[in-house]
Amino acid sequence: MEVPTSRFAVEKCSPVYTSVLSSFFFICRLHLVTWNVGTASPPPDVTSLLQLSSQGPSMDMYVIGLQEVNSKIINFLSDWAFDDPWSIFFMTVFSPLGYIKLSSVRMQGLLLLVFVKHAHIPFIRDIHTHYTRTGLYGYWGNKGGVTIRMSLYGHMICFMNCHLPAHIENAEQRLDDFEKILEMQQFEDENVPNILDHDILFWFGDLNFRIADYGIHFVRESISNSRYNLLWEKDQLNMAKKKEAFLQEFIEGPLQFKPTYKFDLHSDVYDTSGKKRKPAWTDRILWRVKNLSQHSSEDGDLFEGEQTISVTLNNYISHMSYGISDHKPVTGTFGLQIKPLFSTPLVTLNPEGEWNAAQDVLISYSTVSEFPSSTWDWIGLYQVTFRHVNDYVTYAWVKDDEISSSEDVTQVRELPFFFFLFFSFCFSVGF
């Protein structure tokens, strides 16, 4: 069984192509969630949140951005040593469906998770995470941003989950903090050193922008009559996008759903406490596409005059049935139209001979010329429903267990295994 090539991955996981460019482009389906969970535990079911019962084609990638994950000292230390309850919950949901946790990053209550289908793994490279604290003058991580960036079929994609300062009077502070996050998050990549250098940037989270000027009664009446458009012009983020140059390239879908804050717990009733917070669209998903009119492939060919990756928003909604916190979750479903910039995985694996539990087994592998080989390279054996890269049953160090090598192929002896396993090549620089 050979690790799939780009064409295999496209046809197996993403059979929808554009009609004119079917030989070059494919659609990668992305489902993105942002949810301030208010220190609550995961709900019993997230089928509707993740659109798992949808009749359409399945997603290729899920991105989950949470805010206010329980970060009390006992919980945080436990989560630092082990996976946190939310990560475990989503891995339990996704692993039987053929997804693995590609990467995650945590900063106190901020958590960002990326899950992908198995077949895309050989074509995802350069995975890095970052975080920036903005609480307490930059010393505390209750507010700020966490990011995961990667190369997806040669295109640089970045996901940024933020929790910005609360309260209606802090609109300028929110903008200042977001600018600080953009400036502070630098990557060790001379071609893509900054967040805004990525081909596509998704920005989402509890951004905490409020509805200015209008009183609570007018806001609630407009919501009751589903006249959300009356509130758009006074939404602080919409207002800022008209004035602030650094925001004007960010795109958002129409706010055709109820403001997602603030609700009484386990209900769809807006705040009835003494504070009576004015409803607001605090939970948002935006994206930015860099000008990609000229891109080079692995062969050095330039694609001039065409966009080699683009974003289409298919759905932007809130989910009113979830009541574990005073925020309602928001999801965005996207289609990424991608022209792959390389078609060969860094590593191709092949089992040698018959595999059984009575003897050691052999694996041969070949690599492309630019593969950054290391003494820390290893081959892992996994159950079919493995959850993440460290969820191996056993592994072998490539250099220690190498038994033969030629210019094109290397053979490695593996440990015996006792049931059917999915295998994958894992290397230090990739994960």
Side-chain angles (χ1 to χ4, degrees):
M1 177 180 177
E2 184 174 328
V3 171
T5 63
S6 177
R7 184 64 177 169
F8 178 90
V10 167
E11 291 182 343
K12 187 174 180 64
C13 290
S14 301
V16 177
Y17 303 90
T18 57
S19 57
V20 178
L21 298 172
S22 60
S23 298
F24 304 99
F25 284 84
F26 76 94
I27 303 297
C28 178
R29 298 176 189 84
L30 165 67
H31 189 72
L32 198 155
V33 178
T34 179
W35 193 2
N36 183 322
V37 298
T39 74
S41 299
D45 184 78
V46 288
T47 299
S48 62
L49 180 70
L50 303 177
Q51 298 187 3
L52 297 179
S53 59
S54 173
Q55 298 301 310
S58 61
M59 300 296 160
D60 296 292
M61 179 180 294
Y62 283 91
V63 177
I64 315 290
L66 305 180
Q67 307 86 41
E68 293 194 20
V69 173
N70 195 331
S71 58
K72 293 180 180 178
I73 187 64
I74 294 177
N75 301 86
F76 191 72
L77 290 174
S78 174
D79 296 347
W80 180 79
F82 309 98
D83 282 314
D84 66 275
W86 281 94
S87 295
I88 293 171
F89 173 76
F90 282 114
M91 285 190 288
T92 302
V93 170
F94 284 126
S95 64
L97 303 177
Y99 299 88
I100 74 157
K101 187 184 77 173
L102 180 76
S103 184
S104 66
V105 58
R106 172 89 181 266
M107 182 183 71
Q108 288 182 218
L110 274 168
L111 176 63
L112 179 57
L113 304 161
V114 175
F115 294 86
V116 298
K117 280 188 172 180
H118 292 167
H120 294 302
I121 297 171
F123 307 98
I124 299 176
R125 306 176 184 177
D126 301 322
I127 304 166
H128 295 279
T129 63
H130 213 310
Y131 63 88
T132 300
R133 304 182 186 95
T134 60
L136 198 63
Y137 306 102
Y139 291 100
W140 194 241
N142 64 320
K143 295 292 190 291
V146 293
T147 59
I148 297 174
R149 58 80 66 89
M150 68 193 69
S151 166
L152 177 66
Y153 291 90
H155 300 277
M156 297 306 298
I157 314 293
C158 186
F159 300 98
M160 179 167 53
N161 175 24
C162 289
H163 193 184
L164 300 181
H167 306 305
I168 191 168
E169 65 272 15
N170 288 330
E172 288 300 319
Q173 184 63 52
R174 286 187 274 277
L175 296 175
D176 290 344
D177 282 7
F178 181 50
E179 275 197 289
K180 177 182 178 180
I181 293 168
L182 293 178
E183 292 173 2
M184 294 290 290
Q185 297 217 0
Q186 302 289 323
F187 297 93
E188 295 180 3
D189 184 335
E190 61 182 20
N191 296 318
V192 189
N194 187 272
I195 283 184
L196 295 179
D197 294 321
H198 288 79
D199 297 334
I200 296 177
L201 167 62
F202 288 93
W203 172 39
F204 49 93
D206 180 359
L207 307 185
N208 254 322
F209 289 101
R210 309 302 172 99
I211 298 171
D213 300 337
Y214 296 142
I216 188 172
H217 297 294
F218 177 79
V219 171
R220 289 193 172 187
E221 185 70 18
S222 300
I223 295 169
S224 297
N225 295 324
S226 298
R227 301 187 68 185
Y228 309 129
N229 60 306
L230 298 179
L231 308 176
W232 291 346
E233 67 176 7
K234 294 300 182 179
D235 172 79
Q236 290 178 332
L237 181 54
N238 286 340
M239 295 166 68
K241 285 178 65 180
K242 294 178 181 178
K243 298 188 301 181
E244 303 289 344
F246 75 100
L247 290 178
Q248 290 172 3
E249 291 183 333
F250 284 92
I251 304 167
E252 184 180 19
L255 297 169
Q256 298 284 13
F257 50 85
K258 288 184 176 182
T260 53
Y261 175 82
K262 174 182 180 169
F263 289 89
D264 290 344
L265 294 181
H266 308 292
S267 78
D268 57 1
V269 176
Y270 284 108
D271 186 18
T272 59
S273 71
K275 294 181 179 180
K276 288 190 177 180
R277 299 284 191 197
K278 186 164 56 174
W281 286 290
T282 55
D283 310 280
R284 313 287 278 269
I285 300 173
L286 298 91
W287 70 98
R288 176 185 182 272
V289 181
K290 186 180 175 183
N291 182 2
L292 304 174
S293 59
Q294 190 177 82
H295 232 318
S296 62
S297 71
E298 63 180 358
D299 301 320
D301 298 327
L302 288 175
F303 303 120
E304 296 191 35
E306 67 176 0
Q307 199 82 344
T308 55
I309 184 169
S310 60
V311 179
T312 300
L313 175 66
N314 298 323
N315 204 4
Y316 188 35
I317 59 175
S318 65
H319 297 261
M320 295 293 293
S321 63
Y322 293 93
I324 61 172
S325 83
D326 53 5
H327 291 251
K328 300 299 182 183
V330 171
T331 62
T333 304
F334 298 88
L336 307 185
Q337 187 182 30
I338 295 175
K339 172 177 285 228
L341 299 182
F342 60 85
S343 58
T344 306
L346 288 173
V347 180
T348 301
L349 284 171
N350 281 288
E352 294 287 333
E354 182 179 341
W355 286 29
N356 59 64
Q359 60 186 17
D360 290 356
V361 297
L362 295 180
I363 298 172
S364 64
Y365 72 89
S366 58
T367 64
V368 296
S369 58
E370 66 268 27
F371 175 67
S373 180
S374 164
T375 56
W376 298 104
D377 293 345
W378 54 283
I379 295 176
L381 285 169
Y382 295 84
Q383 291 179 303
V384 174
T385 56
F386 74 111
R387 298 181 172 199
H388 52 80
V389 69
N390 292 323
D391 194 19
Y392 49 79
V393 176
T394 187
Y395 65 92
W397 295 107
V398 171
K399 297 299 183 183
D400 291 348
D401 294 281
E402 182 179 307
I403 60 173
S404 69
S405 180
S406 66
E407 183 176 344
D408 300 319
V409 178
T410 301
Q411 281 189 331
V412 176
R413 176 180 286 111
E414 257 291 4
L415 299 174
F417 69 107
F418 44 90
F419 45 81
F420 180 74
L421 298 164
F422 180 88
F423 60 86
S424 174
F425 191 92
C426 304
F427 44 92
S428 58
V429 295
F431 295 91

